[in-house]
Amino acid sequence: MLGLPPFEEVIAAHGAVVLRVCRAVAGPDDADDAWSETFLSALQAYPRLAAGSNVRGWLVTIAYRKAVDRIRAGRRAPIPVGTLPERPSLDRELSDAGLWRAVAALAPKQRGAVVLHHVGGLPYAEAADLLGTSEAAARRAAADGIAALRKALDREESI
Amino acid sequence: MTNPDALTRLLGAERDAEAEAVARLRARVVSQASATGLLDVAYRTLDTPIGSLLLAATPEGLVRVGLPNEDQARVLGELAARISPRILHAPARLDRAAREIDEYFSRSRHSFDISLDLRLAHGFRRSVLHHMLEIGYGATASYAALAAASGSPKAVRAVGSACATNPLPLVIPCHRVLRSDGTLGGYAGGLEVKQLLLALEARPGDGL
């Protein structure tokens, strides 16, 4: 019988990707709380998860919702790219905070598609379900989001 | 213009500093889970003279001791299937059990004073384990005597399987059960471990 692995393994395997999703959606300052809420809520529901489920996709979905809730709560709106103190570049020295702030500044549909697909690794079809849109529209929104990110990051670089 | 592939790779890439942040956040979740009753099984490992033990506890008490020859990942997988998959590495919940086992190996402790959760043993096996708990430090009993004490004098082989499947070896002293002729019989953790434990208990005490 193939059962659910101990939750400890789930955190070890997926803690980092959940953190990136939280940082990309809620921004670096609210990401920690979104991460904790994600894993506490996942731990509560975990025994009811069907064995063999895509645990990563399940967690990314929860993390995205928790992080969006944090933004909606309005405690701290994402900081617009224009006010960045850092200058993001695409080499490995890039400030993650800068990148995540740029992602957070995208239009909501674009941000959702970029985060769920490129950061969280969800297929477009699953990202589309979560965003309440079609697979084609999610694909388009992700492409538009990447284009907008490139523009924003290049603008920062050329200052 | 930045390369879109480099950008998408970067969005999905692991970061060096993440492991540290995840470890810090994980500790926070473990203590919150413990405080809110979401932690069904806590575990830790413990280095002892016989090797690394796995200790696991439910809120009711110590539920499993994994001997050094057991695959710890497999033991945890079994606990996930048989008790609950809400399993976290939470050493603080096992501080007391770990301390008492340390004291046992340093021969300053002869009996354990921790609550036990026997949910992994059922029926006759469970009642055999209860009787096993009455065999004192340094003493031994035969499989046959234990069968008689458990109310089924003919169930000697069943006593053997109760020993072999004891979820809490060391703490429930199946190592003190021998054949009627005084030979060792079996031990799930390996006969050399059984011998070592019996020798440890036979040495004159110095700590008490």
Side-chain angles (χ1 to χ4, degrees), chain B:
Chain B
M1 204 59 175
T2 51
N3 176 351
D5 290 342
L7 180 53
T8 55
R9 262 201 310 278
L10 189 63
L11 285 168
E14 300 260 337
R15 271 86 171 148
D16 291 341
E18 275 168 2
E20 208 178 300
V22 167
R24 175 175 51 82
L25 292 168
R26 185 202 152 280
R28 211 166 84 175
V29 162
V30 170
S31 66
Q32 278 176 302
S34 186
T36 54
L38 282 178
L39 178 47
D40 294 336
V41 181
Y43 75 91
R44 63 164 286 168
T45 55
L46 177 69
D47 286 329
T48 72
I50 60 167
S52 174
L53 299 179
L54 177 78
L55 309 180
T58 67
E60 278 105 279
L62 192 66
V63 75
R64 184 75 161 84
V65 173
L67 291 168
N69 68 341
E70 293 186 89
D71 179 339
Q72 297 185 342
R74 225 194 66 189
V75 173
L76 291 172
E78 282 167 10
L79 294 177
R82 293 184 66 184
I83 299 178
S84 161
R86 286 182 189 142
I87 299 182
L88 291 171
H89 181 247
R93 286 263 291 262
L94 290 139
D95 274 353
R96 181 163 177 178
R99 194 175 60 243
E100 295 201 5
I101 290 172
D102 272 339
E103 290 165 356
Y104 169 79
F105 278 108
S106 64
R107 295 189 303 136
S108 61
R109 173 173 290 277
H110 287 183
S111 65
F112 294 101
D113 192 19
I114 41 182
S115 35
L116 305 180
D117 181 344
L118 284 178
R119 76 173 76 189
L120 293 174
H122 301 281
F124 181 68
R125 288 180 181 177
R126 187 162 174 162
S127 90
V128 171
L129 295 181
H130 277 295
H131 288 284
M132 228 179 269
L133 280 167
E134 288 158 18
I135 312 171
Y137 186 89
T140 59
S142 68
Y143 293 97
L146 206 54
S150 306
S152 305
K154 287 182 183 156
V156 179
R157 286 180 68 91
V159 167
S161 10
C163 291
T165 57
N166 176 9
L168 292 160
L170 280 186
V171 177
I172 300 182
C174 58
H175 59 278
R176 295 177 193 150
V177 186
L178 309 175
R179 288 208 183 111
S180 299
D181 63 5
T183 57
L184 279 179
Y187 195 64
L191 280 182
E192 63 285 5
V193 170
K194 187 172 190 173
Q195 255 163 335
L196 199 143
L197 296 175
L198 291 170
L200 174 99
E201 295 185 11
R203 272 155 65 195
D206 50 7
L208 284 182

